[in-house]
Amino acid sequence: MAQSRIRQLPEQLINQIAAGEVVERPASVVKELLENSLDAGADQVEVDLEQGGKRLIRIRDNGSGMNREELPLAVSRHATSKINSLQDLERVGSLGFRGEALPSIASVSRLTLTSRARDEEVAWALDCDGSDAPAEVRPAAHPPGSTVEVRDLFFNTPGRRKFLRADRTEFSHVQEAVKRLALSRFDFSLQLRHNDRAVSLLPAAAEGDMNAAEERVARLLGESFVEHALRVEVEAAGLKLAGWIALPTFSRVQADLQYFYVNGRVVKDRMAAHAIRRAYHDVLFKDRYPAYLLYLDVDPGQVDVNVHPAKHEVRFRDGRLIYDFIHRHLHQILEGVRPERGTESAARPFSPPPGRAAPVFQAPSQSRMAFPVNEARALYGEPSTHTANEPVAQRVSGPEPADAAPPTAPTARHPHPRPKPDPGSSDAPPLGFALAQIHGIYILAQNAEGVVLVDMHAAHERIVYERLKRASAEQSIAAQPLLVPVRLAVSPQEAELGETHAASFSRLGFEVDRTGPETLLVRQVPVLLQHVDAEGLVRDVLSDLAATGDSSRLQERLNHVLATMACHGSVRANRQLTLAEMNALLRDMEQTPNSGQCNHGRPTWTQLSIDELDRLFLRGQ
């Protein structure tokens, strides 16, 4: 077979190859064109589709528009108004910048581009039919802005067209693309129609109009997400993180409600996703996924957006800083979720993110209670209905052996018991005061808003677990030397990681030495993990270190053991508690991090307000 000679590819084939990277399906076209509209400064965008976008995609905006000379350039490769030099490329602030979208789309469809610049009175149009013939510009009637009409996608590449799915499937992908762009900012209106039927209309949110912005989030992600979301607003080291993270009790069975934006661009970043999931690791079921909508604002010079042709990925110059920033602050916010006087922890003010400026949100305020738990008996006084056979009051605070007798409280009463505050007064603590125990499982309490139900085992499990974690952090972790050290044959890169991070292993009770170019030796493990597969665990840690530069597996394994200890050491169902014990448990919950859910992600308490009780019993109707 004769060897082929090197030759220049035809322009049409070049565009079609580029289209294979940029245009996967109708949703890809919608994404690229919507980004162009937003980059053009549009605040009104209309999207019309037929047959899921396979037959027609029409996007009209009121952006800056184009003049007669710019129109042919818009459908030629590598022509853009968004960058002029390498310096611009290193600090990209627009959504699009490659100059490939329109020519790629035009090479695999019948495209009509109509536009009118804002400072001109005449509009112009051109037609492309997928060939490499130059497009003729003609006068047209059009208001200021642009309309891009894409018909018969992949009509000239049947091999690509046969991979398109049913109309309903393709339209669902378009809806997801529209949702992602609609969530990137709130200062533009967006209308979506399919087969001449209005599907959605999202009005613009004026700057400072908190209700309109939150309504868009609720319409796109569901009201339940907004109701169960915590506000995020943190800024440090030149970074800003804002948005919403859902409470652990609103977890999902799949990662279908996770939106992460970098400088207004929606991206899928493994490192950021790992940092967010790690922030939830202590409050979420193993096979559940957190829900979030987050906006990261970073200096454009610190992030490379020119990584993927479809701009789905980014690369951070200092990934370690980004990882630690996201994980640390989200973990602190989740840890601070606890009952608060006069409001639910999820209640929070809102500020919308206008334009491409960093969104501003208000984080939930989680204050510690003013009175310590060891004052519980003095605060509440002893129940006056005690009998000789009733359990004495004790503080429910930590694990106790199942066969141990309950500790005996001092018999001396406070000489002048303080009066018990009215549970319905504004001075009452967030979870109020206990009234009764229901079926030996739940605590019924009354607070200023209404009634509170607490799962006593789940709540006490979290309290004990947090105390065990704190004690473990404050003391050195007990370690167990191995009688026979475990030898690991690893790659040179893994051996280097093991040597570099030896101090991190040591801090958690492991002793890992490098004994050769491709050999690691595990000499010591934590006592709590002495029965685990040390080799498998160390290999998993090395894998994490290679992928993200960080690993939390060791700490997570230790926490898992502590969680098991807390589960077995917490109060069990059907154990009868006195009012003083129940009130002490409520006060502990108010001061314990993550007390809104147990170690497995289940809620520990819920509230019914007076208004909800009235509606339940049809009062006033």
Side-chain angles (χ1 to χ4, degrees):
M1 180 178 179
Q3 183 177 359
S4 299
R5 311 303 301 176
I6 297 175
R7 60 185 180 277
Q8 182 71 43
L9 291 175
E11 186 69 20
Q12 181 187 14
L13 184 56
I14 293 174
N15 287 335
Q16 289 178 337
I17 292 173
E21 298 178 333
V22 177
V23 183
E24 178 185 0
R25 60 195 333 150
S28 308
V29 175
V30 172
K31 170 187 176 294
E32 297 290 342
L33 298 182
L34 279 178
E35 288 181 346
N36 283 347
S37 295
L38 296 182
D39 282 340
D43 59 15
Q44 297 178 18
V45 183
E46 299 177 10
V47 181
D48 284 278
L49 305 172
E50 292 182 11
Q51 296 180 5
K54 293 186 291 186
R55 180 177 179 182
L56 170 69
I57 299 171
R58 182 190 301 117
I59 295 184
R60 174 176 298 212
D61 66 56
N62 66 342
S64 58
M66 292 170 279
N67 58 36
R68 188 181 190 280
E69 291 73 25
E70 291 178 305
L71 228 57
L73 286 174
V75 292
S76 61
R77 296 189 71 228
H78 305 311
T80 178
S81 62
K82 300 167 187 178
I83 59 171
N84 295 305
S85 64
L86 178 61
Q87 287 72 26
D88 293 338
L89 184 62
E90 292 175 344
R91 301 185 61 87
V92 173
S94 56
L95 296 174
F97 55 89
R98 289 171 172 263
E100 294 180 346
L102 280 176
S104 297
I105 295 169
S107 69
V108 291
S109 68
R110 296 184 173 94
L111 181 143
T112 300
L113 174 59
T114 308
S115 188
R116 172 182 162 188
R118 288 175 179 170
D119 57 352
E120 295 190 359
E121 297 185 0
V122 178
W124 302 91
L126 59 76
D127 300 302
C128 301
D129 59 2
S131 67
D132 54 2
E136 295 293 331
V137 179
R138 53 183 170 79
H142 195 279
S146 302
T147 296
V148 182
E149 189 173 279
V150 179
R151 291 187 177 274
D152 303 326
L153 185 63
F154 299 138
F155 80 97
N156 56 351
T157 53
R160 299 286 306 281
R161 186 173 180 85
K162 71 180 182 180
F163 282 98
L164 295 180
R165 304 304 180 187
D167 295 356
R168 178 180 299 180
T169 301
E170 294 300 335
F171 181 62
S172 69
H173 286 286
V174 170
Q175 285 182 299
E176 181 62 24
V178 170
K179 180 193 297 185
R180 291 177 182 273
L181 267 296
L183 289 171
S184 68
R185 45 195 284 192
F186 299 97
D187 62 342
F188 71 98
S189 65
L190 194 151
Q191 183 173 359
L192 175 63
R193 289 184 292 265
H194 185 219
N195 294 335
D196 294 325
R197 181 178 64 87
V199 177
S200 64
L201 174 60
L202 302 173
E207 185 174 358
D209 189 346
M210 299 178 290
N211 292 332
E214 192 163 41
E215 180 181 349
R216 174 178 291 197
V217 176
R219 290 180 62 179
L220 293 173
L221 301 185
E223 293 184 2
S224 294
F225 171 78
V226 175
E227 292 171 358
H228 294 86
L230 300 171
R231 190 73 64 235
V232 176
E233 182 195 10
V234 292
E235 181 175 356
L239 304 173
K240 295 180 182 178
L241 183 66
W244 296 265
I245 57 174
L247 290 167
T249 50
F250 189 74
S251 60
R252 315 279 289 182
V253 296
Q254 56 187 354
D256 61 342
L257 212 164
Q258 298 181 347
Y259 297 89
F260 184 71
Y261 294 80
V262 177
N263 293 346
R265 181 192 309 278
V266 63
V267 299
K268 294 181 179 179
D269 186 77
R270 289 180 58 192
M271 182 193 66
H274 187 273
I276 297 169
R277 183 159 183 83
R278 184 184 170 195
Y280 276 88
H281 88 271
D282 213 16
V283 292
L284 209 60
F285 275 113
K286 179 181 179 181
D287 297 324
R288 304 286 293 187
Y289 295 87
Y292 53 82
L293 169 60
L294 290 170
Y295 304 85
L296 177 66
D297 187 34
V298 59
D299 181 357
Q302 299 299 313
V303 57
D304 181 8
V305 299
N306 192 25
V307 177
H308 191 279
K311 304 180 290 292
H312 291 315
E313 302 173 6
V314 295
R315 181 185 295 115
F316 296 104
R317 178 172 295 180
D318 191 347
R320 179 76 259 174
L321 174 66
I322 302 293
Y323 183 96
D324 290 341
F325 175 78
I326 295 173
H327 166 256
R328 181 175 66 255
H329 288 291
L330 295 188
H331 178 71
Q332 290 174 352
I333 291 173
L334 289 168
E335 191 177 56
V337 175
R338 63 193 71 171
E340 183 178 326
R341 181 183 285 111
T343 182
E344 295 184 15
S345 59
R348 65 279 180 218
F350 171 84
S351 298
R356 219 172 260 110
V360 179
F361 299 86
Q362 179 64 44
S365 173
Q366 303 293 348
S367 57
R368 296 182 68 85
M369 300 306 298
F371 34 85
V373 177
N374 59 10
E375 297 179 7
R377 192 171 293 107
L379 177 64
Y380 316 129
E382 296 288 351
S384 59
T385 57
H386 274 177
T387 66
N389 296 325
E390 189 171 3
V392 294
Q394 69 177 45
R395 179 183 177 190
V396 184
S397 59
E400 61 181 13
D403 56 349
T408 303
T411 56
R413 297 286 296 276
H414 195 282
H416 301 289
R418 295 170 60 182
K420 180 177 177 179
D422 178 6
S425 73
S426 59
D427 294 331
L431 293 180
F433 299 99
L435 300 176
Q437 192 174 4
I438 303 175
H439 290 287
I441 301 174
Y442 303 104
I443 294 173
L444 175 65
Q446 178 181 338
N447 66 358
E449 282 73 41
V451 296
V452 174
L453 280 173
V454 175
D455 182 333
M456 68 179 195
H457 172 71
H460 192 232
E461 183 179 356
R462 169 58 68 177
I463 292 169
V464 175
Y465 177 45
E466 293 296 332
R467 286 179 180 154
L468 289 172
K469 283 201 306 180
R470 185 168 61 249
S472 175
E474 293 172 353
Q475 304 170 9
S476 59
I477 296 177
Q480 172 70 52
L482 295 176
L483 185 61
V484 179
V486 177
R487 184 178 300 273
L488 278 70
V490 297
S491 68
Q493 294 80 10
E494 290 175 324
E496 181 69 26
L497 286 170
E499 183 178 14
T500 303
H501 294 273
S504 299
F505 281 101
S506 178
R507 181 176 57 84
L508 295 173
F510 278 83
E511 183 180 343
V512 179
D513 292 336
R514 184 178 186 179
T515 59
E518 300 180 356
T519 305
L520 292 175
L521 206 62
V522 182
R523 302 181 184 275
Q524 179 177 280
V525 297
V527 171
L528 293 176
L529 300 180
Q530 59 183 322
H531 299 300
V532 304
D533 177 9
E535 178 179 352
L537 181 55
V538 171
R539 289 190 184 279
D540 287 343
V541 171
L542 294 173
S543 176
D544 289 344
L545 292 172
T548 67
D550 176 85
S551 179
S552 57
R553 288 182 187 261
L554 295 177
Q555 188 63 60
E556 289 174 3
R557 289 293 185 94
L558 288 169
N559 286 349
H560 177 73
V561 175
L562 295 179
T564 302
M565 294 170 60
C567 182
H568 290 289
S570 56
V571 293
R572 315 304 296 177
N574 299 317
R575 174 177 167 183
Q576 296 301 312
L577 303 180
T578 66
L579 286 177
E581 289 176 325
M582 288 186 273
N583 281 317
L585 179 61
L586 298 180
R587 303 293 80 79
D588 264 338
M589 291 177 63
E590 290 160 350
Q591 300 188 63
T592 300
N594 299 314
S595 61
Q597 55 279 321
C598 74
N599 312 341
H600 313 293
R602 293 190 296 108
T604 60
W605 69 283
T606 189
Q607 162 124 23
L608 283 174
S609 67
I610 291 297
D611 290 340
E612 290 171 324
L613 289 171
D614 288 344
R615 288 195 297 270
L616 182 63
F617 291 100
L618 304 180
R619 287 181 61 86
Q621 298 186 20

